[in-house]
Amino acid sequence: MSSMGAQPIVTPGDLGPLINVVTWFLLVASTLAVIARVATKLAVARRIERDDFAIFAALLFSIAQSIAVCFQMSGGLGQHIGTLNAAQLDRFQRSGFAADLLYIANLCFAKLSVLLLLQSITPVALHKRSALAVEATTAFWAVTGEFVAAFQCHLPAPWKFIGNTCINRAAFWSYFGILNILLDLTLILLPLGIVWELKVDLKRKAVIIACFVPRIMVIAAVTAQLVYLNRASDTTDATFDLWPLVLCTQVVQNMSIITACIPYLKPFLESLESGMMRSDDLRRRGIEGINGYSTASSGRFGTNSSSKISSKSARNTVKQSRELEGIDQSNNNTTTITATGDSHNLYDWDAESQRSRSKMIKQTTAWTVD
């Protein structure tokens, strides 16, 4: 029997193949999550919005980062530094440098995707301002992180952290990871305040909140990342001792994408649509409309369907009234038609839609008996 081509084997001295398998498995999972998100979004809302473009960007950065990690693995990641030559060691550091920059960009856009969603669905101005403030904080965190990571070591070789003068890399990445945890915690707590304002029952609120809680898995992965970072902070065998840290990084970046896609599951959208339709009904009764949910809006997740139905009902009722006015009034019959509602004010009509009397047409006929 002919032997097949040599396959990468995980050994105690070479853990690169393990990193490779986990990296591509997580990347495929995050890609499928984005595809499922977009398919569900198009089926329900029939449109792509800013939060979708943000998650697309996060996925692209994740793909590029995963490719960089594969080059890092070919440069000796997961192997002992004493077994590598100078060319491999240079490739390991260059690829790791690129992977760090792409990782930061991935996290930034994955978080912005969730924040843009929250900002667009909430009818409360305070919540919108809170989401905007967290967006600004996230952008500042990412931009400063990119700058420090890009110049972490002495020029002209900022990627070379072995045998070069560098900043305290462990301190920087610890700071970056702690802020990452705080921002992810905000992405769990902020939806609680938004959901509290929705006019839905407790079960639907629980469904909506449950779609944001899985982000706690990202926090757990970042915590593990910080643990392995501090363990390898003073290592003299970086190519081998950093492999658990790289593995945690892959989990963090891909879980950030996956958890950002969970709120686009159908149960969430249905619960959100119900709550926003009820909130929209309250605003039509006298509160100023909010972009995305007012009766004049394009309707996110189809929540303007109720206003369209109400307007159609008003038009049909006025049409019926006019048809009744054309009843033959011969033989001295007197017909009086009374319809509640104003055809020029569909908002008032819809606001009174819960009162059955407003939908009634009264006809009074007087007969003359000879």
Side-chain angles (χ1 to χ4, degrees):
M1 181 181 233
S2 60
S3 60
M4 301 293 291
Q7 298 294 323
I9 299 175
V10 178
T11 64
D14 185 5
L15 299 174
L18 173 63
I19 302 169
N20 189 43
V21 170
V22 173
T23 297
W24 289 106
F25 172 80
L26 291 172
L27 182 61
V28 169
S30 60
T31 302
L32 292 176
V34 172
I35 293 173
R37 164 186 173 149
V38 173
T40 305
K41 181 72 171 292
L42 290 176
V44 176
R46 302 182 184 279
R47 61 188 300 178
I48 299 297
E49 298 177 282
R50 293 184 303 165
D51 52 320
D52 303 303
F53 289 113
I55 204 66
F56 286 147
L59 180 61
L60 290 177
F61 283 119
S62 181
I63 293 172
Q65 198 271 354
S66 298
I67 294 174
V69 169
C70 288
F71 278 104
Q72 192 177 20
M73 185 192 68
S74 67
L77 177 63
Q79 302 178 44
H80 292 286
I81 196 171
T83 63
L84 306 176
N85 55 41
Q88 287 179 302
L89 198 57
D90 184 68
R91 187 186 311 149
F92 166 79
Q93 294 176 94
R94 288 176 182 269
S95 301
F97 178 77
D100 288 342
L101 297 178
L102 294 167
Y103 166 72
I104 295 173
N106 164 276
L107 295 184
C108 177
F109 281 99
K111 287 176 171 56
L112 288 178
S113 175
V114 178
L115 290 167
L116 288 171
L117 169 64
L118 295 176
Q119 188 180 16
S120 61
I121 67 175
T122 177
V124 181
L126 176 61
H127 295 159
K128 287 181 176 293
R129 290 194 296 267
S130 298
L132 183 61
V134 180
E135 288 173 20
T137 303
T138 300
F140 178 79
W141 165 76
V143 170
T144 55
E146 291 280 14
F147 181 82
V148 175
F151 299 99
Q152 58 185 308
C153 295
H154 193 272
L155 297 174
W159 63 85
K160 187 178 180 181
F161 65 90
I162 299 177
N164 195 5
T165 303
C166 302
I167 63 171
N168 190 332
R169 298 177 72 249
F172 163 68
W173 286 110
S174 294
Y175 145 82
F176 187 84
I178 291 172
L179 284 186
N180 193 11
I181 290 175
L182 294 177
L183 288 172
D184 279 324
L185 188 60
T186 303
L187 295 183
I188 297 174
L189 297 178
L190 185 58
L192 297 180
I194 295 175
V195 172
W196 184 259
E197 301 292 334
L198 297 182
K199 304 303 178 181
V200 295
D201 55 37
L202 186 60
K203 181 179 179 181
R204 288 185 180 274
K205 287 184 178 181
V207 171
I208 298 174
I209 293 173
C211 291
F212 293 94
V213 172
R215 200 161 191 91
I216 198 170
M217 292 186 291
V218 180
I219 296 177
V222 176
T223 302
Q225 190 182 38
L226 293 175
V227 171
Y228 286 113
L229 171 68
N230 286 281
R231 287 183 181 179
S233 59
D234 297 324
T235 182
T236 57
D237 192 4
T239 55
F240 185 82
D241 291 339
L242 289 178
W243 77 265
L245 177 61
V246 173
L247 212 57
C248 289
T249 300
Q250 301 310 107
V251 175
V252 170
Q253 76 165 3
N254 287 285
M255 287 304 299
S256 293
I257 294 177
I258 294 172
T259 54
C261 294
I262 291 177
Y264 288 83
L265 297 176
K266 190 174 181 180
F268 170 82
L269 296 182
E270 291 176 345
S271 299
L272 181 65
E273 179 179 357
S274 174
M276 286 304 162
M277 287 178 66
R278 296 185 187 184
S279 298
D280 189 48
D281 181 67
L282 293 177
R283 286 191 294 278
R284 286 198 300 271
R285 293 174 183 270
I287 302 177
E288 183 180 358
I290 303 297
N291 291 337
Y293 298 99
S294 65
T295 53
S297 71
S298 60
R300 184 181 181 89
F301 301 137
T303 55
N304 66 334
S305 58
S306 60
S307 61
K308 292 181 180 178
I309 294 173
S310 300
S311 300
K312 183 177 180 182
S313 300
R315 289 195 298 270
N316 290 341
T317 304
V318 174
K319 181 179 179 182
Q320 291 173 3
S321 299
R322 291 173 180 171
E323 290 175 352
L324 287 173
E325 289 176 356
I327 295 176
D328 184 12
Q329 299 184 18
S330 59
N331 298 325
N332 297 324
N333 296 338
T334 301
T335 302
T336 302
I337 305 298
T338 302
T340 303
D342 186 356
S343 62
H344 298 290
N345 194 341
L346 299 182
Y347 294 107
D348 291 341
W349 177 280
D350 189 59
E352 296 295 329
S353 61
Q354 301 300 320
R355 297 172 55 187
S356 60
R357 290 176 58 86
S358 66
K359 300 179 181 179
M360 296 176 61
I361 298 177
K362 299 178 182 179
Q363 176 177 343
T364 305
T365 303
W367 299 88
T368 302
V369 180
D370 294 331

